[in-house]
Amino acid sequence: MDIILVEYLSKMLELEERGYVGEAIILADKICEAFLADREIILLEKGKLEFRNGYERDALIDLIKAYEIEHNDEIYQLILEAYYSPNKLEMETIYLNNQEMLKEYPYYRNDEIEEEQYLFPIWQDDELLICMDTKLKTFGMCKRIQKESYPKKNYVLALVNELWMDEILLCEDAASFEGKILDLDSPMYLIYDKEYWMLFVQLYDLYQLIVKKRIVFLIDEQSCRNYFYKDMIWIPDCFIYNRFQCKYEAIFLDIIKGIIIQNRKNYDEMIDFYKRNKDEIIKRIKVGTPKILFITSRFTTIVQYHTRDCIQAVERLGCRTKLLIEQDNIGLVSERDVIKYILEFKPDIVFSIDHLRVERTYVPDEVVWICWVQDPMLTIMSKETPKKLASRDIIMNHFITWKKFKEVGYDERYLIEAPIPANSYVYKPYKLTDKEYEEYGCEICLVCHASDADEYIYEQIKDIPDGEFKNELEAIYKGYQVYVYETGNFFYTEEEFVEYIKGSFRQHLNIILDDIRLKYIASDMYNCFNQRVFRVTLVDWILEAGFTNIKLWGNGWKTNSKYEKYAMGPAKNGEILSKIYQASKIVIGNNIMTTSAARAWESMLSGAFYMSNYIPPQSDATDIRKIVKIDEELIMFYDKKDLLQKIDYYLLHEEERQKMIEIGRKVALERMTFDTLMKRVLKEIPDRLEQLREEKIGE
């Protein structure tokens, strides 16, 4: 070694010993520039100096530079000993734990041939990741590129080769799904080339991502292609990646192109099939055994149950069925899924609750589309919708007496009356054990969610700034609550709330509210607050009259000390709820918008004495009086006095109570089960289609 170089290196060590580490490093850099032929030894000594003094990242970079000059195995082993060996056990543990978790995780795809691990991270900080390849005995570096911005809410995001967990979590939060229903969520894709994935699974415990139940891990190109050609998959609309070039954008363009071509082919085949077979569809429907495709969503609990009950009913009638529903919480039923299912199953009828064909215009006109209206969805309540119905559209209508639905303007020929019934195979008399009688039994039972009305008022006004009608709005809500409690009178229409609110602001404050605010407040009081006040008031009447053998099933009751001792918590739908009805002497109706709620038929089929609340006929969305005879087949209470008198009477007159139980169950079995409903609907469809066909011909 050159004597001058030795002297410089000695000087560098001397500076270190005197505590001038920074100056020693500067000197080492100058030596490197001056003695290019000896860079390996200089960088090695510089790296050792930096490592000794806590500059571990700089040391590693310089040691790698030294190694790359001649690939000296001693330097390679030195790096492994200093940077890999101390963390080897921890990384192996993380890796093995991740592999175990991923075996059970449904959103992990790695379709590449598994290879022995050969890439290992040896350094990571907020800016840089350094790894080694034990197969090639090389080192690599990946710099973190700071994001200029993060995605917006509800974006379907794909992060490519991202190696920093904090970055992933920031992106996941930024692109989270708003307006979640049940466990509905959108996916976020983490896509990795094989080499980057090897590194990532050694660096982090993936549980913090897996627990979110929306992260999809896709490893390499083939996994992406296989995954995105599956049914019910969201395509990412936003890419973020750390490389200057991202091959996955091109891959996804190719995938989307392939999906479009296949969807077009499926669509053309579907249209051709139905044009050739439109008459055969009617023939099968007339025979009474059509093929029915049911479309629903796993994110609507009650609708999903009703779809299940309809499927079971028509299968008992001899119909073949198929169900299209999301497969998991990040599934999406798209146009291509509907077309594919229709082409494969070739249904005569498509059945959907609350969704019309006008929302899926690609469905052939030759298919009979049945929409069972159960909720006032925007499309259903639009006055433009009746004009768009086709000659093979049928609407099963739950709102048989609702004024607002009638005002939409549907032609009666499209409508089949279809109040929501109950499943007689689930809701039926059971042989109750002594323990079940003790747990469920009571004189008076209410099954409904409720909440403290005062708490609801607080939640509504808490975010309103002082001075912007906050106190006045509180007085409006509270005034209605007090009025109901003192008089026993309720409002049954949104129009009544409009007049009440308008009059209160004008009389007490000399203020005329704008139409938007007026409509918003009235809608909230009618649709949300009124039900709470109604249910709480019924319970107050019963308790204050001295009836204390009462059980309240549902959420919300336990939060109020007044009702806590009677609160039983949620009642599980199905057999348990049926047993609760059966063990109760009187089940009280408590829906202020409809008397023909499913709870009525569930109670009666279970062998319970059901007493319906009163709603004026003109305000009743589905009037139970159109289905049963009051006082002969069903008992109804009309006000506070009538409720308390009838409770007292039927608790004292067991024979008459049992007689009404028998009559009610017989009526419900004859008129209000899914079997009777679907049998009647399938029988009526051919006549309706013929009327609609003649109308179209007449046009």
Side-chain angles (χ1 to χ4, degrees):
M1 185 186 301
D2 190 300
I3 290 180
I4 297 175
L5 175 58
V6 173
E7 290 178 356
Y8 276 125
L9 291 176
S10 298
K11 179 66 173 176
M12 181 182 75
L13 295 175
E14 182 185 336
L15 287 171
E16 179 193 10
E17 289 176 3
R18 292 166 56 193
Y20 299 116
V21 176
E23 288 79 353
I25 293 172
I26 293 171
L27 177 58
D29 289 334
K30 291 180 178 179
I31 297 171
C32 270
E33 293 174 7
F35 296 88
L36 294 178
D38 298 298
R39 287 184 74 248
E40 179 182 310
I41 185 89
I42 300 168
L43 287 169
L44 176 60
E45 293 304 319
K46 180 190 176 193
K48 290 178 180 179
L49 181 149
E50 289 167 327
F51 188 82
R52 289 194 297 269
N53 290 278
Y55 298 96
E56 294 182 11
R57 184 175 80 166
D58 294 339
L60 177 57
I61 293 171
D62 283 329
L63 290 171
I64 290 172
K65 288 178 182 178
Y67 169 73
E68 289 176 342
I69 294 172
E70 294 290 342
H71 287 80
N72 186 321
D73 194 60
E74 289 185 11
I75 299 177
Y76 180 78
Q77 294 301 326
L78 177 63
I79 294 172
L80 263 60
E81 183 180 341
Y83 289 91
Y84 172 62
S85 297
N87 303 312
K88 181 175 182 290
L89 180 59
E90 181 183 358
M91 288 193 298
E92 284 180 351
T93 302
I94 292 172
Y95 175 79
L96 292 172
N97 287 342
N98 284 336
Q99 293 301 319
E100 284 301 310
M101 282 190 289
L102 291 169
K103 285 179 183 178
E104 306 298 325
Y105 188 58
Y107 309 133
Y108 169 61
R109 297 289 183 275
N110 188 351
D111 298 331
E112 295 291 319
I113 298 173
E114 290 288 341
E115 291 191 42
E116 184 180 349
Q117 191 80 356
Y118 60 87
L119 275 179
F120 300 93
I122 56 175
W123 178 266
Q124 187 184 38
D125 56 31
D126 288 342
E127 300 174 344
L128 183 69
L129 182 138
I130 302 174
C131 64
M132 65 177 185
D133 184 328
T134 56
K135 188 162 58 176
L136 299 176
K137 285 193 172 183
T138 57
F139 296 92
M141 299 185 190
C142 178
K143 289 184 178 180
R144 178 173 181 171
I145 300 174
Q146 294 296 327
K147 310 295 183 289
E148 293 182 2
S149 63
Y150 288 95
K152 299 176 182 177
K153 297 290 184 185
N154 300 333
Y155 269 57
V156 180
L157 173 65
L159 273 178
V160 181
N161 290 332
E162 180 57 65
L163 296 173
W164 278 266
M165 180 63 80
D166 61 333
E167 200 73 54
I168 292 171
L169 294 173
L170 283 170
C171 289
E172 191 276 334
D173 180 66
S176 61
F177 192 75
E178 292 183 317
K180 291 176 66 171
I181 303 170
L182 298 179
D183 62 343
L184 166 66
D185 218 331
S186 61
M188 186 175 93
Y189 299 106
L190 295 183
I191 301 173
Y192 290 91
D193 290 317
K194 177 177 58 181
E195 293 80 5
Y196 290 96
W197 178 248
M198 283 185 180
L199 298 172
F200 186 66
V201 289
Q202 297 175 76
L203 288 167
Y204 300 105
D205 180 354
L206 298 187
Y207 179 77
Q208 57 190 312
L209 296 176
I210 286 173
V211 74
K212 295 179 180 295
K213 298 181 180 178
R214 65 181 288 243
I215 307 299
V216 181
F217 301 100
L218 300 174
I219 315 308
D220 235 324
E221 176 179 342
Q222 194 56 49
S223 298
C224 280
R225 292 187 181 278
N226 292 345
Y227 184 82
F228 286 102
Y229 276 113
K230 289 172 55 186
D231 297 342
M232 304 180 210
I233 299 299
W234 301 65
I235 301 294
D237 48 33
C238 179
F239 279 86
I240 297 179
Y241 45 90
N242 274 344
R243 309 279 70 77
F244 292 109
Q245 299 295 327
C246 180
K247 68 178 181 180
Y248 290 98
E249 285 189 295
I251 290 170
F252 273 94
L253 287 174
D254 188 46
I255 290 171
I256 292 168
K257 181 180 177 181
I259 289 172
I260 291 171
I261 291 171
Q262 184 61 55
N263 190 53
R264 185 72 232 183
K265 182 175 178 291
N266 289 347
Y267 176 79
D268 290 342
E269 289 182 18
M270 176 185 70
I271 294 298
D272 178 65
F273 172 82
Y274 281 99
K275 284 188 181 299
R276 289 185 287 105
N277 291 275
K278 66 178 183 177
D279 294 333
E280 296 300 316
I281 291 171
I282 301 302
K283 289 179 184 178
R284 282 190 290 270
I285 291 175
K286 285 182 177 179
V287 172
T289 54
K291 293 166 66 178
I292 307 176
L293 173 63
F294 289 84
I295 302 177
T296 191
S297 173
R298 71 194 299 271
F299 307 115
T300 54
T301 304
I302 296 301
V303 170
Q304 192 178 162
Y305 288 158
H306 291 171
T307 301
R308 174 205 63 191
D309 294 339
C310 288
I311 290 173
Q312 293 173 354
V314 298
E315 285 179 347
R316 286 190 286 268
L317 294 170
C319 299
R320 289 175 56 195
T321 69
K322 191 175 182 69
L323 175 64
L324 176 53
I325 186 172
E326 300 91 353
Q327 297 167 351
D328 51 46
N329 70 298
I330 58 171
L332 170 71
V333 174
S334 65
E335 174 182 325
R336 68 172 169 135
D337 298 308
V338 176
I339 290 173
K340 182 180 177 183
Y341 269 63
I342 290 176
L343 179 62
E344 291 176 351
F345 185 57
K346 297 179 175 60
D348 306 307
I349 295 172
V350 174
F351 183 106
S352 181
I353 295 177
D354 287 334
H355 294 283
L356 293 147
R357 187 203 307 263
V358 297
E359 299 170 57
R360 300 188 186 272
T361 55
Y362 48 83
V363 174
D365 290 342
E366 294 81 9
V367 176
V368 174
W369 184 287
I370 296 178
C371 170
W372 188 3
V373 170
Q374 296 186 3
D375 298 288
M377 311 291 279
L378 288 176
T379 303
I380 289 168
M381 300 305 292
S382 169
K383 292 188 177 182
E384 295 300 312
T385 299
K387 305 171 189 176
K388 301 175 183 177
L389 297 184
S391 60
R392 291 192 177 184
D393 284 343
I394 299 293
I395 298 176
M396 294 168 55
N397 178 30
H398 169 63
F399 300 120
I400 58 175
T401 56
W402 193 27
K403 180 182 175 183
K404 284 194 174 182
F405 183 80
K406 292 179 181 296
E407 290 173 351
V408 176
Y410 287 100
D411 189 317
E412 290 291 332
R413 286 171 291 188
Y414 288 96
L415 302 178
I416 294 177
E417 291 192 352
I420 299 170
N423 187 333
S424 57
Y425 293 85
V426 175
Y427 294 94
K428 61 183 181 180
Y430 291 88
K431 187 174 181 179
L432 303 184
T433 65
D434 291 342
K435 183 180 178 182
E436 287 171 333
Y437 269 116
E438 182 181 351
E439 184 176 356
Y440 305 140
C442 63
E443 290 183 340
I444 303 165
C445 166
L446 279 85
V447 178
C448 54
H449 297 312
S451 67
D452 188 324
D454 290 330
E455 179 66 22
Y456 183 83
I457 296 171
Y458 169 76
E459 288 296 323
Q460 289 301 103
I461 67 169
K462 68 178 182 180
D463 295 327
I464 300 175
D466 292 336
E468 293 190 16
F469 304 133
K470 184 171 186 173
N471 295 334
E472 293 79 4
L473 192 59
E474 180 181 13
I476 293 289
Y477 279 87
K478 193 66 181 176
Y480 175 70
Q481 182 186 1
V482 172
Y483 166 78
V484 164
Y485 185 81
E486 291 179 349
T487 67
N489 298 323
F490 298 91
F491 294 166
Y492 292 98
T493 66
E494 193 170 325
E495 288 74 17
E496 288 177 280
F497 281 105
V498 167
E499 292 305 313
Y500 162 68
I501 298 164
K502 189 191 299 183
S504 296
F505 269 90
R506 185 174 55 238
Q507 179 178 348
H508 299 292
L509 303 169
N510 198 26
I511 294 173
I512 298 177
L513 278 182
D514 60 85
D515 289 343
I516 294 176
R517 287 193 188 186
L518 180 62
K519 179 73 174 175
Y520 175 83
I521 299 169
S523 177
D524 179 70
M525 293 190 75
Y526 171 67
N527 290 299
C528 302
F529 186 61
N530 203 26
Q531 188 76 281
R532 288 166 168 79
V533 172
F534 181 60
R535 288 168 173 171
V536 168
T537 301
L538 291 182
V539 174
D540 286 345
W541 288 347
I542 292 167
L543 293 176
E544 289 169 8
F547 299 106
T548 56
N549 189 357
I550 176 174
K551 287 186 176 177
L552 306 173
W553 296 88
N555 290 321
W557 296 106
K558 286 187 177 182
T559 61
N560 190 317
S561 58
K562 185 176 182 180
Y563 311 113
E564 188 176 6
K565 71 181 287 190
Y566 312 104
M568 307 303 295
K572 186 176 180 181
N573 278 315
E575 182 178 327
I576 291 177
L577 180 56
S578 186
K579 289 178 177 180
I580 289 170
Y581 290 139
Q582 186 182 344
S584 308
K585 289 191 175 182
I586 299 176
V587 178
I588 303 295
N590 52 69
N591 192 316
I592 199 168
M593 304 183 83
T594 175
T595 49
S596 183
R599 295 296 189 216
W601 313 115
E602 291 168 357
S603 302
M604 294 158 77
L605 287 170
S606 298
F609 175 82
Y610 180 78
M611 191 189 304
S612 173
N613 56 288
Y614 168 79
I615 300 174
Q618 67 273 18
S619 303
D620 200 337
T622 309
D623 191 347
I624 203 168
R625 287 157 289 201
K626 296 288 185 181
I627 304 168
V628 299
K629 296 176 182 176
I630 300 302
D631 295 333
E632 293 181 29
E633 298 171 331
L634 178 79
I635 301 301
M636 178 178 281
F637 67 89
Y638 296 89
D639 52 31
K640 176 180 179 180
K641 181 180 178 181
D642 194 41
L643 168 66
L644 300 177
Q645 286 180 344
K646 285 175 176 173
I647 289 175
D648 191 53
Y649 181 84
Y650 284 102
L651 287 177
L652 291 173
H653 295 79
E654 180 65 17
E655 187 176 331
E656 291 192 44
R657 191 177 69 84
Q658 288 296 331
K659 180 182 176 182
M660 291 305 302
I661 288 173
E662 292 173 11
I663 292 172
R665 175 162 165 75
K666 182 173 183 293
V667 167
L669 278 171
E670 289 175 352
R671 303 172 202 169
M672 292 305 295
T673 69
F674 279 88
D675 283 14
T676 56
L677 172 65
M678 296 310 294
K679 183 177 181 180
R680 175 169 59 83
V681 168
L682 291 178
K683 187 176 180 180
E684 283 192 41
I685 287 175
D687 290 338
R688 297 302 178 108
L689 294 177
E690 184 63 26
Q691 293 175 30
L692 294 169
R693 187 185 72 85
E694 290 173 356
E695 177 196 9
K696 295 296 180 183
I697 292 173
E699 291 177 356

